[in-house]
Amino acid sequence: MHLVVGAEQWVPWLRITEDPYTGHLTYSGIMFNLLVALSRTMNFTYEVRRPEDGLWGVGFPNGSWSGMLGMVKRGEVDFALGPFAFNWERYHYACQFSQPIFIDYESVFMRRPRLETDLFAFVRPFQWQVWLCLLASLILTWLILVVFLYLSPYERLMTTTQRQEGGVQTRRKYSNKSHVMWLTRTLASQSNPWLPESDSRRVMTASWLLSCLIFVSVFSGTLTAMLSVPLVRLPIDSTEDLVNQQEVPWAIESGSFLYQILYQATDGIYKTLWDGHSARITDCYSYRHDIGAGEYAAVCDKMTMKKVMSEDFSATGECNFYMAREDFMSMPMALAFQHQHPIYSKANLQILELVNKGLVHRWMDEQLPNGTACLGPPGADLIGAKRPLALNDYFGLFSVFALCLAAGTLVLVVELTLTEVTHGCHFSSLINP
């Protein structure tokens, strides 16, 4: 018995390689292994025929079908390898599906997010509420010290002190400005010789010193830990994330199971995906370089994504692609036969036997030698690894320093200008009086 089999490249399910000199085609992959196994157990020969449009198959309102499913429906091939995701429309109008060989899922495939420069990395150890409470505590402590300064009878007697230094009487006063400087220097872990005279103010300063010790210790430890873990933002991790953002365009696969669902959709997430897509591709494997370059994201099957990531990691040792963790749609995968084809029942039993024996899953594992190397979230491969802190980690801090330096320089220029105007002297005379 000789059969005509429809097939088209879909790595890793089926890879078709053409010799550049002879034009001879070589087939490999999971579905080709399955075809060879069926041929041997059922004793038939075969020839492979590819669809002219290179598609899997989509039905149109006039009843015609494209791709391999169109070839099956028109009787041009006995069955098509695919594998195909089946639904009622395909089964009713185009073909008869075999026993499922695998259940796959659709998801979002895109370039892997990279480390980002965080301008405010030095404030990330605490949320804004903590910083706000710290500022409120500083103001409240300063206010209490000032109030106690004027209310304490002992402080009123000791605020102005007298002492003899070589026969000369001197006076020393504590102003509100000195309180602010003391609080700020303490918070910055700077030494400060000032000490209040009254016990009430000493209790307050001791409380502030203890709070600063805890705050600074927690801040420094948390900042070190957070800088050691790289910041990687993950803006897209589901199809809803994809359609709700404007930065990354997306593509869909023409002639696929999902394509037909999307173009027939009238509302919901399917309609939004269809209306917002900017490109159409034959399959994600063939356009993997465009996806890796960040030209667009794509809605693909997870098996293809794992194959792309596996090959990329084997070649580069890096993870350059990311597969969203959301399983958008499940797809039972099967072969497509002509309705009422004489070998359908026997072939179905053989396919079920191959699946139950684990041969199909073994062929899958052979196609994905590094299939799990890049499945973690971006930045997960760097957790626990020793990483020297780079300039980007402190870019925000240096930016703030530069801004303060510029502000200080501007204030100095203003002061010098005002001094020159007030006293009628030049800048040179201020430096060399």
Side-chain angles (χ1 to χ4, degrees):
M1 181 171 54
H2 184 78
L3 301 178
V4 181
V5 180
E8 186 53 82
Q9 177 166 280
W10 182 13
V11 180
W13 296 103
L14 183 66
R15 186 189 294 271
I16 303 176
T17 306
E18 182 177 357
D19 189 291
Y21 301 102
T22 64
H24 179 71
L25 299 180
T26 303
Y27 302 92
S28 61
I30 302 167
M31 299 310 296
F32 183 71
N33 293 339
L34 180 61
L35 175 61
V36 172
L38 290 176
S39 173
R40 291 175 179 175
T41 55
M42 297 177 61
N43 193 28
F44 67 80
T45 58
Y46 59 86
E47 64 174 290
V48 177
R49 187 173 299 173
R50 303 174 67 179
E52 294 183 358
D53 54 15
L55 302 178
W56 259 239
V58 173
F60 300 102
N62 61 3
S64 63
W65 283 75
S66 64
M68 285 182 284
L69 290 180
M71 297 171 68
V72 174
K73 178 178 174 58
R74 294 188 296 269
E76 298 174 8
V77 296
D78 295 283
F79 66 93
L81 290 177
F84 299 87
F86 59 80
N87 58 6
W88 179 87
E89 187 173 23
R90 282 182 167 184
Y91 180 83
H92 185 76
Y93 293 108
C95 63
Q96 187 173 7
F97 289 107
S98 70
Q99 162 72 31
I101 62 173
F102 182 67
I103 297 179
D104 205 353
Y105 298 88
E106 294 277 353
S107 190
V108 180
F109 196 41
M110 62 183 179
R111 180 176 62 179
R112 195 173 189 85
R114 299 299 184 183
L115 298 180
E116 298 182 8
T117 299
D118 190 1
L119 294 178
F120 300 99
F122 60 96
V123 300
R124 281 197 293 128
F126 300 126
Q127 294 182 350
W128 66 269
Q129 296 92 335
V130 178
W131 292 109
L132 185 61
C133 288
L134 176 64
L135 178 61
S137 300
L138 189 148
I139 297 174
L140 181 62
T141 305
W142 170 81
L143 183 61
I144 292 175
L145 288 176
V146 172
V147 172
F148 282 9
L149 173 65
Y150 292 101
L151 293 181
S152 174
Y154 183 75
E155 195 73 52
R156 284 201 300 270
L157 293 174
M158 300 301 298
T159 299
T160 303
T161 63
Q162 298 180 357
R163 45 189 189 146
Q164 294 295 125
E165 293 182 1
V168 178
Q169 189 177 27
T170 61
R171 292 177 179 269
R172 177 170 55 90
K173 290 185 178 181
Y174 298 120
S175 65
N176 295 338
K177 183 178 180 180
S178 65
H179 295 148
V180 175
M181 291 302 299
W182 181 84
L183 292 170
T184 306
R185 293 180 66 178
T186 304
L187 188 60
S189 300
Q190 298 296 312
S191 62
N192 199 324
W194 179 78
L195 185 65
E197 304 290 349
S198 64
D199 292 337
S200 59
R201 281 163 42 96
R202 288 187 178 187
V203 170
M204 285 304 304
T205 54
S207 301
W208 177 253
L209 287 171
L210 179 60
S211 300
C212 288
L213 174 64
I214 297 174
F215 181 85
V216 172
S217 300
V218 173
F219 176 82
S220 59
T222 307
L223 179 61
T224 302
M226 295 187 74
L227 289 178
S228 301
V229 178
L231 174 65
V232 182
R233 301 185 188 277
L234 193 58
I236 301 174
D237 208 22
S238 66
T239 49
E240 292 211 2
D241 293 340
L242 181 66
V243 299
N244 290 330
Q245 54 83 41
Q246 302 293 331
E247 297 180 0
V248 182
W250 65 87
I252 56 178
E253 294 177 312
S254 298
S256 65
F257 166 75
L258 181 61
Y259 181 90
Q260 182 156 7
I261 294 178
L262 294 183
Y263 95 81
Q264 292 177 338
T266 57
D267 57 12
I269 186 67
Y270 298 120
K271 177 65 173 176
T272 308
L273 271 174
W274 174 261
D275 291 341
H277 80 277
S278 60
R280 300 179 189 179
I281 58 179
T282 55
D283 64 276
C284 288
Y285 184 85
S286 300
Y287 287 81
R288 62 192 183 278
H289 299 298
D290 294 341
I291 298 174
E295 294 186 13
Y296 43 74
V299 182
C300 319
D301 63 286
K302 285 195 167 184
M303 190 65 180
T304 299
M305 301 183 203
K306 292 178 181 178
K307 178 61 175 178
V308 173
M309 291 189 290
S310 173
E311 288 187 352
D312 180 69
F313 185 82
S314 299
T316 65
E318 299 177 353
C319 296
N320 298 310
F321 294 88
Y322 179 69
M323 176 175 61
R325 286 175 289 183
E326 180 208 44
D327 293 336
F328 174 56
M329 178 187 298
S330 62
M331 301 186 301
M333 312 297 291
L335 283 69
F337 285 80
Q338 292 183 22
H339 284 290
Q340 306 300 323
H341 196 280
I343 71 164
Y344 172 78
S345 299
K346 186 177 180 180
N348 210 30
L349 291 176
Q350 292 297 326
I351 293 171
L352 179 61
E353 183 177 355
L354 292 173
V355 172
N356 290 338
K357 287 182 178 180
L359 287 176
V360 175
H361 283 83
R362 192 187 75 179
W363 295 332
M364 292 180 184
D365 293 338
E366 291 174 353
Q367 293 290 327
L368 306 173
N370 290 306
T372 60
C374 298
L375 294 183
D381 52 329
L382 299 177
I383 295 179
K386 294 183 178 180
R387 181 180 71 94
L389 297 179
L391 177 61
N392 290 342
D393 297 315
Y394 293 98
F395 187 78
L397 184 60
F398 286 118
S399 299
V400 172
F401 175 75
L403 182 62
C404 294
L405 182 61
T409 304
L410 179 61
V411 171
L412 177 60
V413 172
V414 172
E415 289 177 347
L416 292 175
T417 304
L418 292 177
T419 302
E420 181 178 353
V421 172
T422 303
H423 298 284
C425 59
H426 298 285
F427 177 73
S428 59
S429 64
L430 292 176
I431 300 177
N432 300 308

